[in-house]
Amino acid sequence: MPPSDPYRYFRIEAAELLEQLGRGVLELSRGVANVAEMAALFRYAHTLKGAARVVKQLPMADHAHAIEDLLTPHRASGGPLPREVADTILLRVDSLGELLRALGEALGVPSAAPGLRAASGLRAASAAGGASAAGA
């Protein structure tokens, strides 16, 4: 019988929100403003913050709140996100992924999202794409 996982649904939702945050941040760091995408990113961070607080994962809630704070100055304009801001948010997404993975490991359950370091992978792919596009 698998171990009990009181955080199962939280972990699944958090993994999905982190993936959406990572992809959206990269999209907005490409230099195009998009008010709808910015609003979606803010909702993802806000939803994650609230969900983390409900299950008493306060360090995760704090990271999500910090992401909201980083997005706030760009919220009305829809971006684009400066590279430094995007990189800082993606580092927070990675940190959240680490905390989420550790939560599962502490419970002895498999990760809700194997390979959750999506933000790092997306950031590397974006940088490689930008470098090849710049060289073209």
Side-chain angles (χ1 to χ4, degrees), residues 4 9 21 35 43-44 51 53 57 76 92 99 114 122 136:
S4 176
Y9 295 109
L21 271 166
V35 174
R43 274 193 314 277
Y44 300 148
R53 284 188 176 152
Q57 296 301 306
R92 292 274 183 176
L99 290 169
L122 290 170

Side-chain angles (χ1 to χ4, degrees), residues 6 9-11 24 39 42-43 58 84 91 108 127 135:
Y9 295 109
F10 167 74
R11 292 183 320 106
F42 200 86
R43 274 193 314 277
L58 299 183
E84 311 79 51
L91 288 171

Side-chain angles (χ1 to χ4, degrees), residues 19-63:
E19 182 178 339
Q20 292 167 325
L21 271 166
R23 291 187 187 284
V25 166
L26 286 174
E27 186 64 33
L28 286 175
S29 71
R30 291 192 178 114
V32 178
N34 184 330
V35 174
E37 182 69 24
M38 182 65 72
L41 288 180
F42 200 86
R43 274 193 314 277
Y44 300 148
H46 188 75
T47 300
L48 181 57
K49 177 180 74 174
R53 284 188 176 152
V54 166
V55 296
K56 309 230 184 306
Q57 296 301 306
L58 299 183
M60 293 181 80
D62 291 344
H63 277 294

